[in-house]
Amino acid sequence: MISNIVTMGGVKSLRDIDVTGKKVLIRVDFNVPMDGQYNISDDSRIRAALPTINYCIDHNACSITLVSHLGQPKNGYDERFTLRHIQKRLERLLEKKIEFIDNLETLKVENAHCSIERIFLLENIRFFEGEKKNDPAFCQQLADLCDVYVNDAFGTSHRKDASTYGIADFAKIKVAGFLMMREIEAFTKALEKPIRPIALVVGGSKVSSKITLLTSVMPKIDKLIIGGAMSNTFLKALGYDMKASLVEDDFVEVAKEVLSEAKAKGVKIYLPVDVVATDSIEHPVDIKITPVQDVLEGFHAVDIGPATLKLFSEAIELSNTIIWNGPMGIYEMSQFSKGTFKLASFIAESYAFSIVGGGDTADAVEKAGEKDKFSFISTGGGASLELLEGKVLPGFEKLDRK
């Protein structure tokens, strides 16, 4: 795992090249949440890309083409996912005029008339058929738009799409952006040269989605703190009847193996000792705090309880590096958010180097009001998981090396 992170850390960054007078294509991640009226509710991912974009502006790039996806459109154009919804916010943040272009032919013509500070925003790259197919001809078309390709979309760097992977086969110069490098540096610090003890906090709904993470990272950590619905499977593996709670029965034996491996490697496991349980998730009427061995018939465990929170907080207090991926309960519902939000506060107030592994966890930390107190919040859920699992991200694989 560590050698893979070091390998990715050896790629060239934007700072290693000269962009003066060059056409630059930057793969950014503007996949931001919006409400029903297409108002952006969180522009963190746009702001995260600004240092890379501004560097190209400040160093007199001939033109800058911004490429991103938004959502998961299925068959071409979809009004919900057009990047026109992003344009005004981007202009306000950059304090520059942004030219929106919806097809590659027009972009190629306009880009040929090179002038300083001309910035293009291409329509949602997933509207183009060649993107998800990683079509070589489409990759070539994208590469023809630039002298320099910059990958700054960490959140999609685990995917072999044309704009994150295939384009590198055709681009003359291909480097990592500043956000990309910050992500790698943060995970390198946490896993290559950590300050011990290291605690991995995992939550979310499924053991199955994180089993590779648990097995691959086990030799590198000192503590494993498990919450969320996935802890139900571990508790069942220990013989507890979790009643109507979400349990992955097919992974009970796997959970037993993880617990055995942890014991063999001297990793201390922390599991819930009490839970918040309810008679209904959709329409809760009866909500109780119960020990894990006393969950009532027909009740669902939906959050960690106060005794568990105290147990977890004590483990966190005695850790110097903390990696967190996955909420402790159904934090989107206010009745079941206390465990996740209070845990966020405990980690935020600790003196440890703390990393949040993107996705729902980053959203939860934001909602808890603790975002600015964490050492680093990753912009990529799936990408950060794969990095922790020891995989080389495809988005790094073909970038130029130092």
Side-chain angles (χ1 to χ4, degrees):
M1 169 170 55
I2 301 307
S3 60
N4 285 345
I5 292 179
V6 172
T7 297
M8 287 187 283
V11 303
K12 281 188 177 180
S13 80
L14 188 56
R15 213 179 292 277
D16 295 316
I17 62 168
D18 181 13
V19 298
T20 303
K22 292 186 171 65
K23 299 174 185 176
V24 181
L25 185 149
I26 309 175
R27 179 44 162 107
V28 290
D29 184 1
F30 291 165
N31 186 30
V32 295
M34 294 183 291
D35 63 21
Q37 285 71 50
Y38 307 121
N39 297 307
I40 298 169
S41 54
D42 181 1
D43 64 4
S44 299
R45 287 185 171 180
I46 301 176
R47 291 177 183 274
L50 297 183
T52 292
I53 301 169
N54 280 322
Y55 182 90
C56 293
I57 293 171
D58 293 344
H59 288 75
N60 301 320
C62 180
S63 67
I64 301 167
T65 300
L66 303 175
V67 176
S68 179
H69 74 285
L70 178 62
Q72 298 185 21
K74 300 301 180 185
N75 297 298
Y77 182 82
D78 186 325
E79 173 65 19
R80 295 172 299 168
F81 303 124
T82 174
L83 286 185
R84 285 190 183 276
H85 303 315
I86 307 293
Q87 184 179 2
K88 287 184 179 179
R89 180 68 61 90
L90 184 60
E91 286 183 329
R92 188 157 73 247
L93 291 172
L94 279 175
E95 298 182 348
K96 300 284 182 184
K97 174 179 170 56
I98 305 295
E99 300 178 54
F100 182 84
I101 297 183
D102 63 6
N103 66 86
L104 292 182
E105 291 74 21
T106 301
L107 180 55
K108 185 175 181 179
V109 170
E110 293 297 322
N111 198 31
H113 303 290
C114 198
S115 62
I116 290 176
E117 288 193 6
R118 197 167 186 194
I119 307 172
F120 304 106
L121 175 63
L122 181 64
E123 178 60 283
N124 189 337
I125 194 68
R126 289 186 179 169
F127 288 173
F128 297 87
E129 189 177 348
E131 168 68 356
K132 296 300 290 182
K133 293 180 178 179
N134 192 29
D135 178 63
F138 184 64
C139 294
Q140 179 72 71
Q141 282 183 288
L142 291 175
D144 286 345
L145 296 170
C146 65
D147 303 307
V148 175
Y149 165 69
V150 181
N151 190 344
D152 208 31
F154 177 79
T156 56
S157 285
H158 59 308
R159 303 188 185 281
K160 290 188 174 182
D161 295 339
S163 65
T164 58
Y165 181 73
I167 185 176
D169 287 329
F170 303 93
K172 306 177 190 74
I173 301 171
K174 52 252 186 211
V175 297
F178 297 140
L179 170 62
M180 197 69 107
M181 295 308 295
R182 287 202 307 274
E183 294 272 1
I184 290 300
E185 286 163 6
F187 283 103
T188 300
K189 182 175 179 179
L191 292 170
E192 184 193 357
K193 298 178 180 177
I195 305 173
R196 293 188 177 276
I198 308 172
L200 174 64
V201 183
V202 290
S205 59
K206 294 181 178 180
V207 177
S208 54
S209 65
K210 291 178 182 168
I211 190 61
T212 306
L213 167 63
L214 295 178
T215 54
S216 62
V217 82
M218 195 73 75
K220 308 298 177 185
I221 62 175
D222 303 296
K223 305 174 188 179
L224 178 58
I225 300 170
I226 305 173
M230 68 180 292
S231 66
N232 297 333
T233 304
F234 282 89
L235 290 168
K236 184 167 183 177
L238 292 175
Y240 296 105
D241 185 350
M242 300 308 294
K243 298 302 192 291
S245 305
L246 177 62
V247 171
E248 288 184 285
D249 289 316
D250 292 343
F251 282 83
V252 170
E253 290 303 316
V254 173
K256 289 180 181 178
E257 292 171 8
V258 170
L259 295 173
S260 296
E261 185 183 357
K263 185 176 181 180
K265 288 187 165 56
V267 176
K268 188 164 178 55
I269 296 276
Y270 295 83
L271 283 164
V273 293
D274 64 343
V275 294
V276 176
T278 181
D279 58 338
S280 170
I281 295 174
E282 292 79 15
H283 306 288
V285 175
D286 197 0
I287 301 174
K288 298 181 183 296
I289 297 171
T290 64
V292 293
Q293 64 267 33
D294 294 331
V295 178
L296 297 176
E297 196 67 46
F299 273 61
H300 312 257
V302 288
D303 195 9
I304 56 174
T308 300
L309 190 62
K310 181 171 174 51
L311 174 69
F312 287 5
S313 64
E314 288 172 353
I316 285 164
E317 189 177 8
L318 298 173
S319 300
N320 288 318
T321 301
I322 302 165
I323 304 166
W324 184 15
N325 189 290
M328 297 292 103
I330 308 176
Y331 76 94
E332 299 91 342
M333 300 178 69
S334 59
Q335 307 99 309
F336 313 137
S337 65
K338 288 183 181 178
T340 298
F341 289 175
K342 288 186 176 181
L343 188 72
S345 297
F346 279 124
I347 298 175
E349 294 300 330
S350 75
Y351 292 100
F353 178 74
S354 53
I355 292 183
V356 170
D360 289 341
T361 325
D363 181 54
V365 167
E366 171 86 25
K367 286 182 166 62
E370 303 289 358
K371 179 181 177 181
D372 295 335
K373 296 180 183 178
F374 278 75
S375 305
F376 188 79
I377 297 180
S378 176
T379 57
S384 64
L385 261 183
E386 293 202 7
L387 197 58
L388 287 169
E389 290 168 5
K391 298 176 181 177
V392 176
L393 302 181
F396 282 86
E397 202 174 303
K398 298 180 180 181
L399 298 182
D400 293 336
R401 292 301 194 268
K402 293 180 181 178

